[in-house]
Amino acid sequence: MSNSQPVFSVAQCPHRLLLDQIADKWSVLILGALCEKPLRFNVIKRQLEGITQKALTQSLRRLQRNGIVERRVIATSPVAVEYEITPLGRTLKEPFQALYNWTMTYLPEVERARLAFDLEINDLREAYQPTA
Amino acid sequence: MSNSQPVFSVAQCPHRLLLDQIADKWSVLILGALCEKPLRFNVIKRQLEGITQKALTQSLRRLQRNGIVERRVIATSPVAVEYEITPLGRTLKEPFQALYNWTMTYLPEVERARLAFDLEINDLREAYQPTA
DNA sequence: CAGTATCCTCTGAGATACTG
DNA sequence: CAGTATCTCAGAGGATACTG
C-alpha cells in the first residue's frame, strides 16, 4: 500500500505470512483469548464456541511453529497442556488493534456501500426481467 | 486482542469483515496497485502476475461491493473499464501499513522460530525411527 | 484431557472456451 | 478489452471414532 514501491508478486508478498499463517479465521480469536492469560486446550475450545478439535489443534500448531504461542505440557494425570502467548506474539497486538479500530470505525460505511450495491444489482435484474 | 474484553463468537467477530472480504489474498495486492492511480482491468492483471481473470473479477467485485473501489466504464470501442480506489478505501492504508511494518520487523524472528520448530520435529522423528 | 486418524463433503481455485 | 460460463480437481473443514 505504500506509494511508489514495486508491487509484490504473490509468493513473495510479506503480507501472506500474516494473512495465511497468523491472522487467519481462528488465530485472531485464539490470540485474543490467550492475550489475557495462558489457557488449556479445552478452555480455549469452550471460549471459541464453534471451533472443532481439528481446527483448534491445527491453528495452535501453526501459531506455535511461527513462534507466536508456546505449548507447555504439565505432567499430571491425565496430562494437561497449557498454551501461552510469547513476547513475539504480544507484538501483534498493535497491528491487530489497528485493524480492529478500522473495522469499528468504518463498518457502518461498508454496510451502507453493500446495501447500495445490492440494491443496484436488484434494480438491474428487474429491468432485465420486468415481471418475475 | 484488547484486554479484558469478551471474546467474540466467530460470526460476529468484526475482524472477519476485513479478513474475509477486504484483506484477503489478492485484495491487498490490488489495493496496493490502485493506491497510486486508477488502473484498467488488464493492467491490474498484468501487475499481479499469477492472478486469473476469474479471481481478479471476483476480488474487484467484492471490493466494489464493500465500497473500497469504484468501477467506471469508459464508452470507447472496445469498451474500457477503470478501477479507482475510493476515499473509504484509502483509509485502509494505515492499518495495512501497520501489518506490513509488523511483518518487515518480525519476519526474521518468525523464520527462526519455524526453523527451530521444524528441526525439533525432525529430531523426534529420528528418535522414533533411528535408522530410516 | 488433549490430542491423532479416518472418512466424507463441498467449496473454491484454476484452466479453458466463449461473447458484447 | 473486459468480462461470463463451464468443468474439473485438490484440499480445507466437519463429523466421528479411537488412544496414551
Side-chain angles (χ1 to χ4, degrees):
Chain A
M1 291 289 289
S2 53
N3 286 329
S4 57
Q5 284 210 358
V7 175
F8 296 98
S9 86
V10 189
Q12 310 165 327
C13 175
H15 267 114
R16 298 295 302 278
L17 166 73
L18 258 170
L19 265 30
D20 292 353
Q21 300 270 316
I22 297 173
D24 64 291
K25 176 174 172 174
W26 292 111
S27 297
V28 177
L29 295 170
I30 294 173
L31 290 177
L34 291 182
C35 203
E36 290 195 50
K37 62 169 188 284
L39 295 174
R40 288 168 53 177
F41 187 87
N42 276 329
V43 178
I44 304 175
K45 186 165 182 299
R46 246 168 272 134
Q47 290 204 20
L48 273 64
E49 203 181 339
I51 195 171
T52 61
Q53 288 159 336
K54 189 177 164 185
L56 181 54
T57 303
Q58 284 174 343
S59 295
L60 284 171
R61 204 64 76 241
R62 193 170 46 234
L63 290 173
Q64 186 192 356
R65 179 171 183 261
N66 286 282
I68 307 300
V69 306
E70 196 198 322
R71 180 179 185 271
R72 190 168 39 250
V73 178
I74 301 164
T76 54
S77 174
V79 83
V81 179
E82 204 174 64
Y83 290 92
E84 182 171 11
I85 194 167
T86 63
L88 175 59
R90 289 209 181 272
T91 63
L92 281 167
K93 183 169 182 177
E94 193 186 319
F96 279 11
Q97 192 73 48
L99 234 49
Y100 184 84
N101 291 342
W102 186 93
T103 311
M104 288 297 102
T105 306
Y106 294 106
L107 183 56
E109 200 163 335
V110 170
E111 283 177 338
R112 270 198 300 279
R114 285 186 186 176
L115 247 53
F117 182 89
D118 294 346
L119 254 172
E120 203 173 331
I121 292 286
N122 279 333
D123 288 352
L124 288 173
R125 287 231 177 85
E126 279 173 29
Y128 184 70
Q129 289 204 345
T131 49
Chain B
M1 293 289 289
S2 54
N3 285 329
S4 57
Q5 283 213 357
V7 174
F8 295 98
S9 88
V10 190
Q12 309 164 328
C13 174
H15 268 114
R16 298 296 301 282
L17 166 73
L18 258 169
L19 266 30
D20 292 353
Q21 299 270 317
I22 297 171
D24 65 292
K25 177 173 171 175
W26 292 112
S27 298
V28 177
L29 294 169
I30 293 172
L31 290 177
L34 290 183
C35 201
E36 291 194 50
K37 63 169 187 286
L39 296 174
R40 287 168 52 177
F41 187 87
N42 276 330
V43 177
I44 305 176
K45 186 166 183 300
R46 248 168 270 134
Q47 290 203 21
L48 274 63
E49 201 182 341
I51 195 171
T52 61
Q53 288 160 334
K54 187 177 165 185
L56 182 54
T57 303
Q58 284 173 341
S59 295
L60 284 170
R61 204 64 76 240
R62 192 170 46 234
L63 289 172
Q64 186 192 356
R65 178 170 183 261
N66 286 283
I68 308 299
V69 306
E70 196 197 322
R71 179 178 186 273
R72 190 168 35 251
V73 178
I74 301 163
T76 53
S77 174
V79 83
V81 179
E82 204 173 64
Y83 290 92
E84 182 172 11
I85 194 166
T86 62
L88 176 58
R90 290 209 181 273
T91 63
L92 282 166
K93 183 168 182 178
E94 194 187 319
F96 280 12
Q97 192 73 47
L99 235 50
Y100 184 84
N101 290 342
W102 186 93
T103 311
M104 288 296 102
T105 307
Y106 294 106
L107 183 56
E109 200 165 335
V110 170
E111 283 177 339
R112 271 198 301 280
R114 284 185 186 176
L115 248 54
F117 183 89
D118 294 346
L119 253 172
E120 203 175 330
I121 292 286
N122 280 333
D123 288 352
L124 288 173
R125 288 232 176 84
E126 280 175 28
Y128 184 70
Q129 288 203 344
T131 49

